[in-house]
């Protein structure tokens, strides 16, 4: 019989994977939300539940971190990875929330492209988390996230130009801009997650 | 005769209490500021003095932290607690400042509810700081702050809906929204203070 | 023959100086950009190149930090100094970018004063970085940066008052305010750099 001295240490990887899989759920809810004829109230409620689940994952990681003497990476990197994953969810939930709060009827078409970038980034992130265990094959992940973020940035800029083209009145611009800014912040936050993973990989390798 | 090796170590608690009591003063100035017929110039001046006093308390904590080898909690938590207390004051002062800068005649009524949440949060925070010494009876504090922050969030959302209801022109919406956003940021910052206290209590207990 | 145990340790100072000199280049590009009859497209392209160069300097510092066991100051302070220098460039580049994206024809005159504050702050910062080595004569630097930031703050407030004076329509206010906010954020970021230098000087002296 073999005793395990640090019985549940691996579970950080599982907790990060849970948190990232939850982002996939959230991003898919955003895709549904902006589709024509969506049940927006129903989807927004699922989004809030998704955000609460994300908070639970984050707290579980923080609690474990506070109780652990031994951690697989630097404590500050675990803290930062959990926080940046949490940030993504907060921005996605805020965007969904504002669509309902402002009762926005119609979003510019490029918002679809913006949300698809988030969905793809969430999938890549969820896919990468289990590879943290061996710190292998992670560079393609962060390179692809950087590429996606640049693509999202182009879309964001096209959207800003459209908002200020004279097609919308000032109050509508204010409302749409807040939604679009939250989605852009979510894309940036995925890049912060990837930067944190890169930092961990560089340090530990 | 007994030598004290760490002669003034307890004073961290006093310094945090000073900083939090200063937030009570600031929140009460906000309550005065938005009352009908207030001497806004005079109150704004007191607010600036209050913010300067807050900066002094923050610097005193940071200076002590840089000079100390032994600290009652993790250095990073002391740093974070001082910073988040300072953030609250900065947001409150910014809100007061914008009311004057934009020469805002009339604020929506719900701003009173928003400011009362800040006053209550400040009182609870000032009340909790001395209990850091024994790390006792703190959970009721952070639970109540979280409840207040949720309540403040509901008020904030009602205010946003009112702003965009068509009742105000776009320039007025821009101005009012900035004030309301600063007050909401102050409420969030009180929650960050409470989260930091929770982290300290969990780690040290 | 003398062996050097930490052969390239000094190069942190060189890297910080590179990063700060790059801010001087960026600030001067901003001055050019807002001059009458400027080749805005050409200058914006140089600005993007400048921002990329800044990223390289930041990454070089971070990489070195991850590989070093011995550092001239606390790791967290090196990290923070590199990050805050990087923030300044990001805000300056964002401001330049928005001027073009929004196709802003005419900026309020006080923007010139705002940008001149950035140029002066960049020069002072570049001048101070080599003095980190001996930690000498740095207090005049951070005092002067604080003075400049206060001056910038006055200009920013005058600009806000002008924006909301009724002279501009709401969409123009939205666009101009974003540019002015980025410039103000750059001025604040210079103050964060100076605060970090002060922290290092106090700790190490």
């Amino acid at each position: 019989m073999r005793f395990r001295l640090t019985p549940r240490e691996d579970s950080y990887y599982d907790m990060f994977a849970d948190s990232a899989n939850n982002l996939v759920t959230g991003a898919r809810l955003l895709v549904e939300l902006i589709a024509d004829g969506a049940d927006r109230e129903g989807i927004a409620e699922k989004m809030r539940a998704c955000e609460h689940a994300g908070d639970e994952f984050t707290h579980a990681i923080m609690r474990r971190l506070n109780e652990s003497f031994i951690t697989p990476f630097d404590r500050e990197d675990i803290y930062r990875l959990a926080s940046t994953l949490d940030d993504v969810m907060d921005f996605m939930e805020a965007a969904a929330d504002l669509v309902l709060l402002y009762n926005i009827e119609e979003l510019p078409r490029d918002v679809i492209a913006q949300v698809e970038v988030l969905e793809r980034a969430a999938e890549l992130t969820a896919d990468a988390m289990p590879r943290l265990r061996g710190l292998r094959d992670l560079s393609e992940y962060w390179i692809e996230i950087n590429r996606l973020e640049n693509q999202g940035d182009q879309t964001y800029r096209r959207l800003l130009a459209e908002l200020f083209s004279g097609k919308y009145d000032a109050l509508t611009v204010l409302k749409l801009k807040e939604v679009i800014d939250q989605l852009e912040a979510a894309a940036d936050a995925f890049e912060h997650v990837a930067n944190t993973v890169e930092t961990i990989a560089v340090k530990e390798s």
Side-chain angles (χ1 to χ4, degrees), chain A:
Chain A
M1 187 179 170
R2 243 183 99 207
F3 289 100
R4 298 177 63 189
L5 283 174
T6 54
R8 299 186 317 141
E9 190 178 324
D10 324 33
S11 69
Y12 278 111
Y13 306 107
D14 299 328
M15 288 192 285
F16 286 130
D18 287 344
S19 189
N21 282 320
N22 196 46
L23 296 182
V24 177
T25 307
R28 286 182 185 159
L29 285 169
L30 277 181
V31 173
E32 283 184 48
L33 182 77
I34 62 170
D36 291 336
D39 165 22
R40 290 185 167 183
E41 292 286 351
I43 296 166
E45 202 165 311
K46 284 186 198 165
M47 193 63 151
R48 276 190 293 276
C50 188
E51 196 263 338
H52 285 307
D55 279 348
E56 290 303 314
F57 293 130
T58 310
H59 284 148
I61 296 171
M62 299 305 190
R63 220 164 25 233
R64 188 149 158 55
L65 191 60
N66 283 330
E67 292 163 357
S68 310
F69 289 100
I70 299 167
T71 54
F73 327 120
D74 278 1
R75 307 179 73 81
E76 69 193 31
D77 292 327
I78 292 175
Y79 178 86
R80 220 178 123 209
L81 185 51
S83 305
T84 49
L85 286 165
D86 196 56
D87 289 345
V88 176
M89 180 55 85
D90 287 349
F91 291 124
M92 294 201 302
E93 201 251 339
D97 192 41
L98 287 167
V99 170
L100 268 89
L101 181 66
Y102 289 157
N103 200 13
I104 294 175
E105 293 292 322
E106 215 187 315
L107 288 156
R109 284 205 66 74
D110 267 332
V111 172
I112 297 175
Q114 230 192 346
V115 169
E116 282 171 351
V117 159
L118 296 181
E119 189 183 17
R120 185 78 195 108
E123 288 165 355
L124 285 166
T125 306
D127 196 51
M129 288 300 112
R131 298 206 300 280
L132 274 174
R133 195 186 294 263
L135 291 173
R136 271 194 325 242
D137 306 323
L138 285 163
S139 64
E140 58 213 74
Y141 148 69
W142 68 65
I143 290 166
E144 180 63 10
I145 291 285
N146 277 286
R147 202 193 57 73
L148 273 173
E149 200 274 333
N150 284 336
Q151 184 186 321
D153 203 50
Q154 295 305 316
T155 309
Y156 175 66
R157 296 163 62 81
R158 271 204 314 277
L159 276 163
L160 285 189
E162 190 186 342
L163 278 193
F164 287 98
S165 65
K167 190 171 150 187
Y168 301 99
D169 66 280
L171 281 185
T172 305
V173 170
L174 270 174
K175 291 186 206 175
L176 291 177
K177 187 161 186 304
E178 277 198 64
V179 173
I180 290 165
D181 281 350
Q182 295 291 341
L183 295 173
E184 171 67 3
D188 283 348
F190 271 118
E191 199 176 25
H192 299 158
V193 172
N195 291 346
T196 308
V197 170
E198 185 177 359
T199 302
I200 293 171
V202 169
K203 268 194 203 173
E204 306 290 327
S205 66

